[in-house]
Each structure stands twice: as structure tokens, then as C-alpha cells.
Amino acid sequence: MDLDTVRTFVAAAEAGRFQDAAAELAVTQQAVSKRIAALERELGVRLFTRTPRGAALTIDGQAFLPHARELLRAAERAAASVRTGSRPLRVDVINSRGAATGLMRGFHRAHPEIELDVVMLLEIDAAVAAVRSGAIDATFRAVTAPGRPLPQDVEAVRVLDEPLQLLTGPAHALAGARSVTLAELAGHRIWMPGVVPGTEWTAYYDDLVAAFGLTIEATGPNFGSDALLDTIADTPALATFMSEGTRLVWPAGHGLRRIPVTDPTPLYPHALLWRRDNPHPGLAALRAHLAGTAGLVGADCGTWLPDWVIPR
């Protein structure tokens, strides 16, 4: 059903005269008559009767009027749901416990007036496709990994360099260390079941292994962070890497240790990706917020980043 004819019908019904409806809609009286006639043909009923004082609704017209008004209200609601800035800003943070979630919580505290919709997508290809299609407005990723150039319509900016820490159980050989160097980690088994082929963090850890001769094992199923912590707490031979901003809570009886890694400190690079022509004002506010709070260290003699990371 054509909304212009419905809108014309409602205007004529409320005005009581086709001439007044034409003036309200900024069309000719002839156009109003043609639209009403087309609507009557589509519905198969007469909606108005002519009177000396104008046009009066028939019984069918009176029955149709509240539904016509609801059609127009529904159309307005539909348009408002996608009007620039009226829908929530939709951002992918990968998981609920990582640094990206912390960044978005900080943004929400700074801009509580901006409605957010936070989602979690594991695969980078799915996240980039969602950015390009408009299913999400932005995603946090480590880019650009070797051989994984971004599409031309997707832009990225580095927003955070996050130090890695070593996580051990109480019986691990390094559990008592105040800090540990990357050289000291050579020969120790670092277990990371979440590192799977095709992810950007696999590319990162592959380069870390190649640069410092580490042993990273990704064997076994990934049952999630709780199972990982249980295993690390109970297995003296295993340790794992954990980003500094990862928020985890574990039982005090686990006796887990988070140990800074130095000489150099490996930094995990986080970037924000978005489609270049995305007009959502919340996205502009998010980019400005991250630019003002960015924790970018940059590679120097005391830190390490892979050589494919995008510039500061």
C-alpha cells in the first residue's frame, strides 16, 4: 500500500476538505482526488462522500482511518530506527574479559548519552564482513596481520598497546619471580589453547616464537578461561601468557601469579576498525575518545611489537 495515498487520505479525513488537504500536503487538489481514487480502487470501497461543505468519511472510511494512522506511525518508527544517530552504536569487542571491553566501558562512562550495543565476534573475517555490511559499526582487532590486508573501504587506527604477562601456578619454577625476561622463558612450556590457525593472535604469537625461541603449545580443546586457570594452577610445568588488561577472577586457593615480562616487554596491539563512510555520530565520538586515551607505547629497546603492526 502506497504511503503517500494513505497520508493523503488521513489529511483529507482530518481536514474535511480535499482543498485543505492539498494545501497541507503542498500538492494540487487534483492530485489529492487522484490519490484518494487510487486508494479506493485498491481497497474496493468508497472512503468519502461529497457534501456541500466538503468531503465526509463513509462508514468504510471511518473503519479504515485508525488503521491508516497506525500505518503512518509504523512507517515513522521504521525510519527513525535507522536514522543517523538514532540507533545504538554497535561495536564488537571479541570477548567480555579483554582490553577492548575495558575501553568500551571507559567510553560508556564518558558518554552515557550514547546508546551502545556490544557484540562478540571471534573470527576477524566475520568481523570485517560485518563492518562492511553495516551489521556492526566497529570492531577491535590486531591489524594488519601478514597477508591479511584490509579492504579499501575499511579504515583502522591503533588505539592500545597492551603488555603481556606470564601467568603461573604456585608450584611453577618462575612463580616467585618479580619479573621474567623473554630469554628466561625459553625452554618453558607456555600453554595457550585459544591460539588457533587463522586468527590475528596466532600471527602475533608465531612472530613472538620466531623472535625469541619460545615454546607455545596450543594442544587440547579450549574449554574457556576457567578451565585454563584450573590447569595452570594445578600443573607446575605449564604457564600461559595473559594480557595486562584481561579481567579474570579466580579462587584465592589457586595461588596464581601474574608476572611482568621484560627485556623486552611484548606488547599486543589493539586497533579499531570501521567502514570509512559510516556516518554514525557515536562512531566519531568513540574515535575521539580513544584518541584522547590511547595507550600507545611504540616499539623501542624495552618493548617488542611484530613488524606488521600499523603505525601509531
Side-chain angles (χ1 to χ4, degrees):
M1 186 171 294
D2 182 73
L3 288 178
D4 281 340
T5 62
V6 175
R7 190 172 290 108
T8 301
F9 164 75
V10 172
E14 293 176 346
R17 288 163 48 95
F18 284 10
Q19 183 177 359
D20 293 344
E24 179 184 338
L25 298 172
V27 297
T28 65
Q29 183 174 342
Q30 183 181 19
V32 170
S33 297
K34 286 184 176 180
R35 291 178 184 178
I36 297 298
L39 185 59
E40 289 177 331
R41 284 195 300 272
E42 182 177 356
L43 296 175
V45 297
R46 287 187 61 82
L47 298 172
F48 290 96
T49 57
R50 296 281 187 169
T51 71
R53 302 180 60 181
L57 287 171
T58 65
I59 293 177
D60 290 322
Q62 295 173 29
F64 182 63
L65 181 58
H67 301 290
R69 287 171 171 156
E70 180 55 32
L71 279 174
L72 297 180
R73 286 193 291 266
E76 175 56 29
R77 290 195 299 269
S81 70
V82 294
R83 194 168 291 137
T84 300
S86 63
R87 64 167 178 79
L89 179 69
R90 202 160 198 241
V91 181
D92 163 43
V93 296
I94 305 179
N95 64 71
S96 63
R97 295 177 172 178
T101 299
L103 292 174
M104 289 306 299
R105 290 175 66 186
F107 173 69
H108 180 59
R109 287 192 294 269
H111 295 276
E113 76 284 1
I114 296 178
E115 190 175 357
L116 293 178
D117 186 4
V118 175
V119 301
M120 300 172 198
L121 303 174
L122 180 64
E123 299 293 339
I124 185 171
D125 290 340
V128 171
V131 166
R132 299 186 73 191
S133 70
I136 62 175
D137 296 296
T139 179
F140 286 92
R141 298 285 155 174
V143 290
T144 52
R148 305 289 289 274
L150 291 175
Q152 291 186 350
D153 57 346
V154 175
E155 194 164 351
V157 63
R158 201 162 118 222
V159 296
L160 176 66
D161 295 338
E162 186 183 14
L164 294 187
Q165 297 176 333
L166 186 73
L167 185 72
T168 76
H172 193 276
L174 299 173
R178 299 185 62 179
S179 64
V180 60
T181 67
L182 282 173
E184 290 172 329
L185 291 179
H188 288 277
R189 295 169 60 197
I190 301 172
W191 187 51
M192 303 192 70
V195 174
V196 294
T199 58
E200 61 264 43
W201 44 89
T202 295
Y204 175 88
Y205 284 112
D206 283 348
D207 280 10
L208 186 63
V209 165
F212 298 100
L214 305 182
T215 301
I216 292 182
E217 301 177 5
T219 56
N222 180 14
F223 289 113
S225 57
D226 291 341
L228 173 67
L229 297 180
D230 290 342
T231 302
I232 294 299
D234 294 338
T235 311
L238 295 180
T240 191
F241 280 127
M242 183 163 291
S243 299
E244 184 179 72
T246 300
R247 298 173 61 88
L248 294 175
V249 178
W250 53 76
H254 275 36
L256 293 166
R257 311 284 197 273
R258 294 181 75 144
I259 305 169
V261 180
T262 61
D263 298 325
T265 297
L267 304 174
Y268 190 85
H270 296 270
L272 183 75
L273 282 63
W274 70 93
R275 199 180 68 207
R276 295 179 187 275
D277 62 352
N278 188 319
H280 199 298
L283 177 60
L286 175 60
R287 290 168 53 192
H289 172 81
L290 294 174
T293 59
L296 300 180
V297 178
D300 57 32
C301 60
T303 61
W304 177 87
L305 284 161
D307 56 14
W308 44 260
V309 67
I310 61 177
R312 295 174 58 180

